[in-house]
Amino acid sequence: MSVIFDEKNIATAIYTVNRHAKTAIDNKPLYELKKLTIEKLIAENKAKKVGLHFVRNPKNSQQQSSVLIQYADYYFHMIPVKEDFKNLPHLGHLDDSYRNPIRKMNLKMAKQLLTDYIGPQLIVKKTSKQPVVCTKSYMKENYKRTMKSYLDR
């Protein structure tokens, strides 16, 4: 399967990953993929930083800004770096009248396209905060001897 890295496909893939990241339980890998892709597009002068926007729902009731990125016919937001505050104009609040074009792409295909585009990178993997599940052999050796029923806990 040959992958075509044209503007429309990459922009749609970023849009798809971003849309799913907003509702995902573990969104770090998706946002990291979006960030790495946009950083590569900026480095290749394919995307550009337009300015800063106020964040609609800032954390801890503090005022925050995000960087507005333009790529193809889409606009995306990213976390700003220190230089962005010095070099970019502040555009104020978001314009609610503008919406990105709605294009459909499968999440798996979007992730694969972006991963192929950025190349081998270290992408944040899911960190589980759940307890480690014991294997059956461990449970047989340690719990069967001391527990006669589940009520003995």
Side-chain angles (χ1 to χ4, degrees):
M1 179 177 117
S2 68
V3 179
I4 301 172
F5 296 124
D6 68 341
E7 275 191 354
K8 185 177 177 182
N9 281 342
I10 294 174
T12 304
I14 296 170
Y15 172 77
T16 301
V17 166
N18 191 48
R19 188 167 37 96
H20 281 83
K22 291 178 182 183
T23 59
I25 293 170
D26 183 31
N27 58 12
K28 284 184 181 179
L30 294 174
Y31 279 129
E32 183 72 13
L33 183 59
K34 171 192 166 188
K35 177 183 164 230
L36 291 171
T37 305
I38 290 176
E39 285 175 352
K40 182 174 181 178
L41 290 168
I42 290 170
E44 295 174 345
N45 292 322
K46 294 180 181 177
K48 67 176 184 174
K49 295 182 178 183
V50 178
L52 297 164
H53 267 158
F54 286 124
V55 174
R56 184 170 285 129
N57 297 316
K59 293 180 184 176
N60 303 324
S61 299
Q62 297 174 351
Q63 200 168 43
Q64 292 178 331
S65 295
S66 61
V67 179
L68 181 65
I69 310 286
Q70 180 185 10
Y71 177 65
D73 53 348
Y74 282 90
Y75 289 92
F76 302 103
H77 285 98
M78 283 183 42
I79 296 171
V81 293
K82 199 173 206 177
E83 294 81 34
D84 292 334
F85 290 102
K86 296 176 187 173
N87 302 331
L88 297 174
H90 208 292
L91 307 172
H93 293 280
L94 280 94
D95 182 10
D96 289 328
S97 64
Y98 179 80
R99 294 283 184 248
N100 279 326
I102 298 174
R103 294 192 192 114
K104 302 287 183 185
M105 182 181 280
N106 182 314
L107 178 61
K108 185 176 179 180
M109 186 167 54
K111 286 171 35 177
Q112 186 63 51
L113 178 75
L114 297 182
T115 304
D116 291 345
Y117 177 71
I118 63 173
Q121 300 275 339
L122 178 65
I123 296 177
V124 175
K125 296 292 181 189
K126 182 177 181 179
T127 57
S128 177
K129 293 182 182 178
Q130 297 175 348
V132 177
V133 178
C134 298
T135 60
K136 288 183 180 180
S137 61
Y138 176 79
M139 289 179 67
K140 283 180 184 176
E141 293 170 9
N142 295 316
Y143 290 110
K144 290 253 179 165
R145 293 183 194 155
T146 58
M147 290 177 43
K148 293 187 172 65
S149 73
Y150 290 110
L151 300 174
D152 289 344
R153 287 187 183 177

PDB file of all heavy atoms in Angstrom, residues 108-137:
ATOM      1  N   LYS A 108      -7.467   4.759  12.920  1.00  0.00           N
ATOM      2  CA  LYS A 108      -6.303   3.884  12.732  1.00  0.00           C
ATOM      3  C   LYS A 108      -5.503   4.318  11.501  1.00  0.00           C
ATOM      4  O   LYS A 108      -4.272   4.371  11.545  1.00  0.00           O
ATOM      5  CB  LYS A 108      -6.769   2.430  12.581  1.00  0.00           C
ATOM      6  CG  LYS A 108      -5.661   1.438  12.490  1.00  0.00           C
ATOM      7  CD  LYS A 108      -6.190   0.018  12.434  1.00  0.00           C
ATOM      8  CE  LYS A 108      -5.056  -0.973  12.327  1.00  0.00           C
ATOM      9  NZ  LYS A 108      -5.531  -2.352  12.269  1.00  0.00           N
ATOM     10  N   MET A 109      -6.196   4.644  10.423  1.00  0.00           N
ATOM     11  CA  MET A 109      -5.524   5.080   9.208  1.00  0.00           C
ATOM     12  C   MET A 109      -4.851   6.444   9.428  1.00  0.00           C
ATOM     13  O   MET A 109      -3.740   6.682   8.958  1.00  0.00           O
ATOM     14  CB  MET A 109      -6.520   5.165   8.045  1.00  0.00           C
ATOM     15  CG  MET A 109      -5.861   5.472   6.730  1.00  0.00           C
ATOM     16  SD  MET A 109      -6.877   5.226   5.260  1.00  0.00           S
ATOM     17  CE  MET A 109      -8.318   6.173   5.580  1.00  0.00           C
ATOM     18  N   ALA A 110      -5.499   7.338  10.160  1.00  0.00           N
ATOM     19  CA  ALA A 110      -4.939   8.659  10.435  1.00  0.00           C
ATOM     20  C   ALA A 110      -3.666   8.535  11.265  1.00  0.00           C
ATOM     21  O   ALA A 110      -2.650   9.178  10.963  1.00  0.00           O
ATOM     22  CB  ALA A 110      -5.957   9.529  11.173  1.00  0.00           C
ATOM     23  N   LYS A 111      -3.698   7.699  12.310  1.00  0.00           N
ATOM     24  CA  LYS A 111      -2.516   7.499  13.142  1.00  0.00           C
ATOM     25  C   LYS A 111      -1.375   6.894  12.327  1.00  0.00           C
ATOM     26  O   LYS A 111      -0.226   7.311  12.465  1.00  0.00           O
ATOM     27  CB  LYS A 111      -2.856   6.596  14.333  1.00  0.00           C
ATOM     28  CG  LYS A 111      -3.672   7.307  15.390  1.00  0.00           C
ATOM     29  CD  LYS A 111      -4.232   6.437  16.489  1.00  0.00           C
ATOM     30  CE  LYS A 111      -3.443   5.296  16.970  1.00  0.00           C
ATOM     31  NZ  LYS A 111      -4.085   4.574  18.083  1.00  0.00           N
ATOM     32  N   GLN A 112      -1.685   5.931  11.474  1.00  0.00           N
ATOM     33  CA  GLN A 112      -0.655   5.294  10.658  1.00  0.00           C
ATOM     34  C   GLN A 112      -0.045   6.285   9.674  1.00  0.00           C
ATOM     35  O   GLN A 112       1.163   6.324   9.488  1.00  0.00           O
ATOM     36  CB  GLN A 112      -1.239   4.088   9.913  1.00  0.00           C
ATOM     37  CG  GLN A 112      -0.199   3.280   9.165  1.00  0.00           C
ATOM     38  CD  GLN A 112       0.827   2.672  10.104  1.00  0.00           C
ATOM     39  OE1 GLN A 112       0.479   2.028  11.082  1.00  0.00           O
ATOM     40  NE2 GLN A 112       2.103   2.896   9.826  1.00  0.00           N
ATOM     41  N   LEU A 113      -0.886   7.103   9.050  1.00  0.00           N
ATOM     42  CA  LEU A 113      -0.405   8.099   8.087  1.00  0.00           C
ATOM     43  C   LEU A 113       0.539   9.090   8.761  1.00  0.00           C
ATOM     44  O   LEU A 113       1.621   9.380   8.240  1.00  0.00           O
ATOM     45  CB  LEU A 113      -1.592   8.841   7.462  1.00  0.00           C
ATOM     46  CG  LEU A 113      -1.246   9.939   6.465  1.00  0.00           C
ATOM     47  CD1 LEU A 113      -0.808   9.324   5.140  1.00  0.00           C
ATOM     48  CD2 LEU A 113      -2.423  10.853   6.240  1.00  0.00           C
ATOM     49  N   LEU A 114       0.157   9.596   9.933  1.00  0.00           N
ATOM     50  CA  LEU A 114       0.992  10.561  10.637  1.00  0.00           C
ATOM     51  C   LEU A 114       2.275   9.921  11.156  1.00  0.00           C
ATOM     52  O   LEU A 114       3.343  10.530  11.111  1.00  0.00           O
ATOM     53  CB  LEU A 114       0.215  11.214  11.777  1.00  0.00           C
ATOM     54  CG  LEU A 114      -1.000  12.044  11.371  1.00  0.00           C
ATOM     55  CD1 LEU A 114      -1.658  12.671  12.590  1.00  0.00           C
ATOM     56  CD2 LEU A 114      -0.647  13.098  10.351  1.00  0.00           C
ATOM     57  N   THR A 115       2.187   8.686  11.633  1.00  0.00           N
ATOM     58  CA  THR A 115       3.372   7.978  12.102  1.00  0.00           C
ATOM     59  C   THR A 115       4.347   7.748  10.958  1.00  0.00           C
ATOM     60  O   THR A 115       5.556   7.926  11.113  1.00  0.00           O
ATOM     61  CB  THR A 115       2.977   6.637  12.749  1.00  0.00           C
ATOM     62  OG1 THR A 115       2.052   6.885  13.802  1.00  0.00           O
ATOM     63  CG2 THR A 115       4.187   5.920  13.324  1.00  0.00           C
ATOM     64  N   ASP A 116       3.837   7.368   9.793  1.00  0.00           N
ATOM     65  CA  ASP A 116       4.699   7.183   8.619  1.00  0.00           C
ATOM     66  C   ASP A 116       5.309   8.509   8.184  1.00  0.00           C
ATOM     67  O   ASP A 116       6.457   8.553   7.752  1.00  0.00           O
ATOM     68  CB  ASP A 116       3.910   6.579   7.457  1.00  0.00           C
ATOM     69  CG  ASP A 116       3.497   5.136   7.704  1.00  0.00           C
ATOM     70  OD1 ASP A 116       4.051   4.498   8.633  1.00  0.00           O
ATOM     71  OD2 ASP A 116       2.611   4.643   6.983  1.00  0.00           O
ATOM     72  N   TYR A 117       4.550   9.580   8.307  1.00  0.00           N
ATOM     73  CA  TYR A 117       5.032  10.892   7.877  1.00  0.00           C
ATOM     74  C   TYR A 117       6.167  11.407   8.768  1.00  0.00           C
ATOM     75  O   TYR A 117       7.178  11.894   8.278  1.00  0.00           O
ATOM     76  CB  TYR A 117       3.883  11.902   7.853  1.00  0.00           C
ATOM     77  CG  TYR A 117       4.332  13.294   7.486  1.00  0.00           C
ATOM     78  CD1 TYR A 117       4.725  13.598   6.188  1.00  0.00           C
ATOM     79  CD2 TYR A 117       4.397  14.295   8.446  1.00  0.00           C
ATOM     80  CE1 TYR A 117       5.166  14.870   5.852  1.00  0.00           C
ATOM     81  CE2 TYR A 117       4.831  15.567   8.112  1.00  0.00           C
ATOM     82  CZ  TYR A 117       5.218  15.843   6.820  1.00  0.00           C
ATOM     83  OH  TYR A 117       5.660  17.101   6.503  1.00  0.00           O
ATOM     84  N   ILE A 118       5.990  11.312  10.083  1.00  0.00           N
ATOM     85  CA  ILE A 118       7.014  11.865  10.981  1.00  0.00           C
ATOM     86  C   ILE A 118       8.225  10.956  11.099  1.00  0.00           C
ATOM     87  O   ILE A 118       9.284  11.398  11.534  1.00  0.00           O
ATOM     88  CB  ILE A 118       6.453  12.188  12.389  1.00  0.00           C
ATOM     89  CG1 ILE A 118       5.966  10.932  13.097  1.00  0.00           C
ATOM     90  CG2 ILE A 118       5.392  13.247  12.320  1.00  0.00           C
ATOM     91  CD1 ILE A 118       5.555  11.160  14.535  1.00  0.00           C
ATOM     92  N   GLY A 119       8.083   9.693  10.724  1.00  0.00           N
ATOM     93  CA  GLY A 119       9.202   8.771  10.815  1.00  0.00           C
ATOM     94  C   GLY A 119       9.343   8.214  12.208  1.00  0.00           C
ATOM     95  O   GLY A 119       8.513   8.458  13.081  1.00  0.00           O
ATOM     96  N   PRO A 120      10.427   7.480  12.430  1.00  0.00           N
ATOM     97  CA  PRO A 120      10.606   6.876  13.760  1.00  0.00           C
ATOM     98  C   PRO A 120      10.862   7.938  14.817  1.00  0.00           C
ATOM     99  O   PRO A 120      11.821   8.677  14.743  1.00  0.00           O
ATOM    100  CB  PRO A 120      11.827   5.958  13.577  1.00  0.00           C
ATOM    101  CG  PRO A 120      12.516   6.456  12.357  1.00  0.00           C
ATOM    102  CD  PRO A 120      11.493   7.147  11.516  1.00  0.00           C
ATOM    103  N   GLN A 121       9.971   8.031  15.754  1.00  0.00           N
ATOM    104  CA  GLN A 121      10.049   8.997  16.851  1.00  0.00           C
ATOM    105  C   GLN A 121       9.674   8.278  18.131  1.00  0.00           C
ATOM    106  O   GLN A 121       9.022   7.245  18.113  1.00  0.00           O
ATOM    107  CB  GLN A 121       9.054  10.150  16.649  1.00  0.00           C
ATOM    108  CG  GLN A 121       9.253  10.950  15.406  1.00  0.00           C
ATOM    109  CD  GLN A 121      10.275  12.050  15.602  1.00  0.00           C
ATOM    110  OE1 GLN A 121      10.549  12.458  16.704  1.00  0.00           O
ATOM    111  NE2 GLN A 121      10.840  12.517  14.511  1.00  0.00           N
ATOM    112  N   LEU A 122      10.025   8.870  19.227  1.00  0.00           N
ATOM    113  CA  LEU A 122       9.600   8.350  20.515  1.00  0.00           C
ATOM    114  C   LEU A 122       8.244   8.971  20.822  1.00  0.00           C
ATOM    115  O   LEU A 122       8.138  10.175  21.053  1.00  0.00           O
ATOM    116  CB  LEU A 122      10.601   8.713  21.615  1.00  0.00           C
ATOM    117  CG  LEU A 122      10.240   8.253  23.019  1.00  0.00           C
ATOM    118  CD1 LEU A 122      10.243   6.726  23.078  1.00  0.00           C
ATOM    119  CD2 LEU A 122      11.218   8.802  24.023  1.00  0.00           C
ATOM    120  N   ILE A 123       7.201   8.155  20.773  1.00  0.00           N
ATOM    121  CA  ILE A 123       5.853   8.639  21.045  1.00  0.00           C
ATOM    122  C   ILE A 123       5.446   8.145  22.430  1.00  0.00           C
ATOM    123  O   ILE A 123       5.716   7.006  22.798  1.00  0.00           O
ATOM    124  CB  ILE A 123       4.864   8.150  19.968  1.00  0.00           C
ATOM    125  CG1 ILE A 123       5.261   8.745  18.623  1.00  0.00           C
ATOM    126  CG2 ILE A 123       3.440   8.516  20.314  1.00  0.00           C
ATOM    127  CD1 ILE A 123       4.414   8.276  17.473  1.00  0.00           C
ATOM    128  N   VAL A 124       4.815   9.010  23.193  1.00  0.00           N
ATOM    129  CA  VAL A 124       4.420   8.682  24.556  1.00  0.00           C
ATOM    130  C   VAL A 124       3.483   7.479  24.533  1.00  0.00           C
ATOM    131  O   VAL A 124       2.493   7.460  23.814  1.00  0.00           O
ATOM    132  CB  VAL A 124       3.696   9.881  25.216  1.00  0.00           C
ATOM    133  CG1 VAL A 124       3.178   9.510  26.587  1.00  0.00           C
ATOM    134  CG2 VAL A 124       4.622  11.070  25.293  1.00  0.00           C
ATOM    135  N   LYS A 125       3.826   6.493  25.319  1.00  0.00           N
ATOM    136  CA  LYS A 125       2.989   5.311  25.438  1.00  0.00           C
ATOM    137  C   LYS A 125       2.095   5.452  26.655  1.00  0.00           C
ATOM    138  O   LYS A 125       2.384   6.209  27.574  1.00  0.00           O
ATOM    139  CB  LYS A 125       3.845   4.044  25.576  1.00  0.00           C
ATOM    140  CG  LYS A 125       4.693   3.761  24.368  1.00  0.00           C
ATOM    141  CD  LYS A 125       3.845   3.384  23.194  1.00  0.00           C
ATOM    142  CE  LYS A 125       4.706   3.088  21.984  1.00  0.00           C
ATOM    143  NZ  LYS A 125       3.967   2.932  20.783  1.00  0.00           N
ATOM    144  N   LYS A 126       1.026   4.680  26.666  1.00  0.00           N
ATOM    145  CA  LYS A 126       0.067   4.740  27.761  1.00  0.00           C
ATOM    146  C   LYS A 126       0.728   4.283  29.056  1.00  0.00           C
ATOM    147  O   LYS A 126       1.323   3.217  29.113  1.00  0.00           O
ATOM    148  CB  LYS A 126      -1.127   3.852  27.438  1.00  0.00           C
ATOM    149  CG  LYS A 126      -2.201   3.871  28.495  1.00  0.00           C
ATOM    150  CD  LYS A 126      -3.371   3.029  28.093  1.00  0.00           C
ATOM    151  CE  LYS A 126      -4.446   3.081  29.143  1.00  0.00           C
ATOM    152  NZ  LYS A 126      -5.606   2.306  28.777  1.00  0.00           N
ATOM    153  N   THR A 127       0.621   5.098  30.076  1.00  0.00           N
ATOM    154  CA  THR A 127       1.131   4.732  31.384  1.00  0.00           C
ATOM    155  C   THR A 127      -0.052   4.309  32.235  1.00  0.00           C
ATOM    156  O   THR A 127      -0.966   5.089  32.484  1.00  0.00           O
ATOM    157  CB  THR A 127       1.863   5.900  32.052  1.00  0.00           C
ATOM    158  OG1 THR A 127       0.979   7.004  32.131  1.00  0.00           O
ATOM    159  CG2 THR A 127       3.110   6.288  31.282  1.00  0.00           C
ATOM    160  N   SER A 128      -0.023   3.082  32.657  1.00  0.00           N
ATOM    161  CA  SER A 128      -1.140   2.540  33.405  1.00  0.00           C
ATOM    162  C   SER A 128      -0.955   2.789  34.897  1.00  0.00           C
ATOM    163  O   SER A 128       0.111   2.539  35.447  1.00  0.00           O
ATOM    164  CB  SER A 128      -1.258   1.042  33.134  1.00  0.00           C
ATOM    165  OG  SER A 128      -2.293   0.507  33.899  1.00  0.00           O
ATOM    166  N   LYS A 129      -1.981   3.288  35.540  1.00  0.00           N
ATOM    167  CA  LYS A 129      -1.950   3.493  36.984  1.00  0.00           C
ATOM    168  C   LYS A 129      -2.716   2.382  37.694  1.00  0.00           C
ATOM    169  O   LYS A 129      -2.931   2.434  38.891  1.00  0.00           O
ATOM    170  CB  LYS A 129      -2.546   4.857  37.332  1.00  0.00           C
ATOM    171  CG  LYS A 129      -1.697   6.007  36.834  1.00  0.00           C
ATOM    172  CD  LYS A 129      -2.272   7.332  37.235  1.00  0.00           C
ATOM    173  CE  LYS A 129      -1.413   8.457  36.683  1.00  0.00           C
ATOM    174  NZ  LYS A 129      -1.926   9.764  36.986  1.00  0.00           N
ATOM    175  N   GLN A 130      -3.138   1.383  36.930  1.00  0.00           N
ATOM    176  CA  GLN A 130      -3.860   0.266  37.506  1.00  0.00           C
ATOM    177  C   GLN A 130      -2.866  -0.704  38.137  1.00  0.00           C
ATOM    178  O   GLN A 130      -1.721  -0.792  37.700  1.00  0.00           O
ATOM    179  CB  GLN A 130      -4.677  -0.442  36.433  1.00  0.00           C
ATOM    180  CG  GLN A 130      -5.746   0.436  35.820  1.00  0.00           C
ATOM    181  CD  GLN A 130      -6.461  -0.267  34.687  1.00  0.00           C
ATOM    182  OE1 GLN A 130      -6.035  -1.299  34.218  1.00  0.00           O
ATOM    183  NE2 GLN A 130      -7.569   0.306  34.252  1.00  0.00           N
ATOM    184  N   PRO A 131      -3.295  -1.455  39.130  1.00  0.00           N
ATOM    185  CA  PRO A 131      -2.386  -2.417  39.748  1.00  0.00           C
ATOM    186  C   PRO A 131      -2.004  -3.513  38.756  1.00  0.00           C
ATOM    187  O   PRO A 131      -2.751  -3.828  37.836  1.00  0.00           O
ATOM    188  CB  PRO A 131      -3.203  -2.984  40.912  1.00  0.00           C
ATOM    189  CG  PRO A 131      -4.614  -2.676  40.588  1.00  0.00           C
ATOM    190  CD  PRO A 131      -4.602  -1.440  39.739  1.00  0.00           C
ATOM    191  N   VAL A 132      -0.851  -4.078  38.973  1.00  0.00           N
ATOM    192  CA  VAL A 132      -0.366  -5.147  38.108  1.00  0.00           C
ATOM    193  C   VAL A 132      -1.205  -6.390  38.357  1.00  0.00           C
ATOM    194  O   VAL A 132      -1.443  -6.778  39.501  1.00  0.00           O
ATOM    195  CB  VAL A 132       1.127  -5.439  38.394  1.00  0.00           C
ATOM    196  CG1 VAL A 132       1.623  -6.598  37.562  1.00  0.00           C
ATOM    197  CG2 VAL A 132       1.947  -4.196  38.163  1.00  0.00           C
ATOM    198  N   VAL A 133      -1.638  -7.013  37.291  1.00  0.00           N
ATOM    199  CA  VAL A 133      -2.449  -8.218  37.402  1.00  0.00           C
ATOM    200  C   VAL A 133      -1.515  -9.412  37.564  1.00  0.00           C
ATOM    201  O   VAL A 133      -0.566  -9.577  36.808  1.00  0.00           O
ATOM    202  CB  VAL A 133      -3.339  -8.395  36.150  1.00  0.00           C
ATOM    203  CG1 VAL A 133      -4.139  -9.670  36.247  1.00  0.00           C
ATOM    204  CG2 VAL A 133      -4.249  -7.198  35.990  1.00  0.00           C
ATOM    205  N   CYS A 134      -1.778 -10.220  38.572  1.00  0.00           N
ATOM    206  CA  CYS A 134      -0.944 -11.390  38.823  1.00  0.00           C
ATOM    207  C   CYS A 134      -1.292 -12.509  37.863  1.00  0.00           C
ATOM    208  O   CYS A 134      -2.437 -12.646  37.441  1.00  0.00           O
ATOM    209  CB  CYS A 134      -1.145 -11.885  40.257  1.00  0.00           C
ATOM    210  SG  CYS A 134      -0.683 -10.679  41.484  1.00  0.00           S
ATOM    211  N   THR A 135      -0.309 -13.319  37.553  1.00  0.00           N
ATOM    212  CA  THR A 135      -0.557 -14.467  36.685  1.00  0.00           C
ATOM    213  C   THR A 135      -1.280 -15.548  37.469  1.00  0.00           C
ATOM    214  O   THR A 135      -1.265 -15.559  38.706  1.00  0.00           O
ATOM    215  CB  THR A 135       0.765 -15.030  36.139  1.00  0.00           C
ATOM    216  OG1 THR A 135       1.562 -15.437  37.253  1.00  0.00           O
ATOM    217  CG2 THR A 135       1.496 -13.989  35.319  1.00  0.00           C
ATOM    218  N   LYS A 136      -1.866 -16.489  36.786  1.00  0.00           N
ATOM    219  CA  LYS A 136      -2.611 -17.552  37.449  1.00  0.00           C
ATOM    220  C   LYS A 136      -1.715 -18.414  38.327  1.00  0.00           C
ATOM    221  O   LYS A 136      -2.091 -18.815  39.411  1.00  0.00           O
ATOM    222  CB  LYS A 136      -3.317 -18.418  36.412  1.00  0.00           C
ATOM    223  CG  LYS A 136      -4.490 -17.739  35.765  1.00  0.00           C
ATOM    224  CD  LYS A 136      -5.193 -18.670  34.811  1.00  0.00           C
ATOM    225  CE  LYS A 136      -6.361 -17.969  34.167  1.00  0.00           C
ATOM    226  NZ  LYS A 136      -7.070 -18.824  33.226  1.00  0.00           N
ATOM    227  N   SER A 137      -0.486 -18.695  37.856  1.00  0.00           N
ATOM    228  CA  SER A 137       0.411 -19.544  38.647  1.00  0.00           C
ATOM    229  C   SER A 137       0.778 -18.873  39.972  1.00  0.00           C
ATOM    230  O   SER A 137       0.871 -19.526  41.006  1.00  0.00           O
ATOM    231  CB  SER A 137       1.664 -19.887  37.856  1.00  0.00           C
ATOM    232  OG  SER A 137       2.362 -18.707  37.529  1.00  0.00           O
TER     233      SER A 137
END
